[in-house]
């Protein structure tokens, strides 16, 4: 058995049984005692299990590795500045005409676009699994998803590889939600997001950023791209004069929209898939 498959199997067995002796693992994995001991040592060095006298045990639950992205989760953010996000999303959708090909990245502001896209006839490339699911159920838009892993906490599909399906699709506009905005450019909190979103940006002619006014106060350690790549920022009327001037001096068009009350339909009740994700 290949090393990584055997070690993955060992971890799976520990997850099921909690603790196991070397002899038990030898029988389950059909490997030699020396091989099992080496695997236990290798995994223990990487904090993937705990070595015990004569065997190994799974990590305590609180120490289990998590593979979530950095930054806030989708469900923690979806209701934050909701009235501002809805107004921003409405304006963004008004920039789309039937027949257009567009790209939309995953995020809570861009997800608000779903409500206003249901009557459109667009080709949409998105790495938002939930946006794709909603639009497939409620609209006649053509939906394209990149390959990769689904990160449930942030509601995005990301691939570490350059040769996914997105490289074959080009769009007139990309609508992007962002972690933060500054004079240095667009900021993100996770390297994997940076990698994936740079790839999407390269596939679009025009980059339109959807950012409520709170995003101007947020800081992150990673710069996605400079303001020179941004065509337009759609924000809300709460954005400060200094923030607007900073963008305009960098040659970025700024549109500030007034927050609007959330209608019942705009609350966008969770789909069955979203309910399942929240319960996990």
């Amino acid at each position: 058995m290949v090393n990584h498959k055997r070690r993955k199997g060992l971890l799976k067995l520990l997850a099921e049984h909690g603790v196991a002796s070397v002899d038990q693992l030898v029988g389950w994995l059909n490997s030699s005692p020396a091989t099992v001991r080496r695997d236990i040592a290798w995994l223990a060095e990487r904090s993937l299990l705990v070595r015990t006298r004569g065997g190994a045990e799974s990590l305590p639950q609180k120490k289990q590795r998590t593979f979530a992205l950095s930054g806030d989760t989708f469900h923690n953010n979806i209701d934050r500045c909701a009235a501002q996000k809805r107004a921003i999303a409405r304006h963004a959708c008004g920039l789309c005409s039937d027949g257009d090909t567009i790209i939309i990245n995953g995020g809570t502001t861009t997800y608000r676009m779903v409500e206003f896209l249901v009557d459109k006839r667009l080709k949409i490339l998105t790495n938002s699994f939930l946006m794709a699911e909603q639009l497939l159920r409620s609209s006649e838009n053509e939906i394209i998803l990149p390959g990769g892993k689904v990160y449930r906490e942030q509601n995005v599909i990301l691939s570490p590889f350059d040769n996914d399906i997105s490289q074959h699709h080009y769009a007139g506009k990309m609508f992007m939600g962002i972690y933060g905005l500054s004079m240095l450019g667009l900021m993100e909190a996770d390297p994997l997001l940076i990698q994936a979103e740079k790839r999407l940006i390269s596939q679009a002619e025009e980059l339109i950023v959807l950012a409520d006014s709170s995003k101007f106060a947020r800081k992150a350690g990673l710069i996605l791209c400079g303001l020179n790549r941004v065509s337009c920022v759609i924000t809300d009327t709460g954005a400060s004069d200094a923030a607007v001037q900073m963008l305009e001096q960098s040659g970025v068009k700024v549109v500030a929209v007034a927050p609007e009350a959330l209608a019942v339909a705009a609350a966008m009740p969770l789909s069955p898939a979203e309910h399942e994700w929240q319960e996990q």
Side-chain angles (χ1 to χ4, degrees), residues 57-58 87 129 148 173 192 232 264-265 273 279:
E57 64 179 330
S58 61
F129 181 83
K173 297 181 180 71
L192 189 55
C232 176
V264 174
E279 292 168 359

Side-chain angles (χ1 to χ4, degrees), residues 14-154:
L14 287 180
E16 293 173 356
H17 298 277
V19 63
S21 67
V22 169
D23 288 342
Q24 286 175 313
L25 292 169
V26 165
W28 292 335
L29 295 170
N30 194 26
S31 299
S32 69
T35 297
V36 169
R37 290 190 183 96
R38 282 196 300 269
D39 286 345
I40 289 174
W42 190 91
L43 293 166
E45 287 175 2
R46 289 155 180 80
S47 300
L48 293 169
L49 55 72
V50 177
R51 296 180 74 176
T52 63
R53 187 176 181 85
E57 64 179 330
S58 61
L59 293 176
Q61 189 62 35
K62 65 179 181 179
K63 293 184 178 179
Q64 289 281 4
R65 276 192 174 186
T66 58
F67 294 92
L69 301 173
S70 303
D72 293 333
T73 67
F74 180 86
H75 288 294
N76 284 345
N77 274 336
I78 187 62
D79 293 324
R80 190 176 298 165
C81 302
Q84 290 88 339
K85 290 176 180 178
R86 183 173 189 245
I88 291 168
R90 181 195 292 274
H91 186 89
C93 291
L95 301 178
C96 303
S97 301
D98 286 351
D100 286 353
T101 298
I102 63 173
I103 299 173
I104 307 176
N105 80 326
T108 54
T109 307
T110 49
Y111 183 65
R112 290 282 175 190
M113 294 175 69
V114 169
E115 177 188 357
F116 307 107
L117 289 173
V118 292
D119 295 324
K120 299 284 188 181
R121 301 293 185 274
L122 307 170
K123 180 183 288 187
I124 302 172
L125 169 62
T126 180
N127 63 359
S128 168
F129 181 83
L130 295 184
M131 173 177 281
E133 189 242 1
Q134 291 277 357
L135 290 175
L136 284 171
R137 288 194 302 110
S138 62
S139 79
E140 295 184 15
N141 292 288
E142 180 180 343
I143 307 301
I144 304 162
L145 286 168
K149 176 180 177 180
V150 177
Y151 288 80
R152 299 182 178 186
E153 293 83 0
Q154 275 77 20

Side-chain angles (χ1 to χ4, degrees), residues 8 105 163 181 201 211 218 247 268:
K8 184 177 180 180
N105 80 326
N163 58 342
L181 260 172
I201 289 173
R218 302 183 77 179
L247 292 171
M268 290 190 296

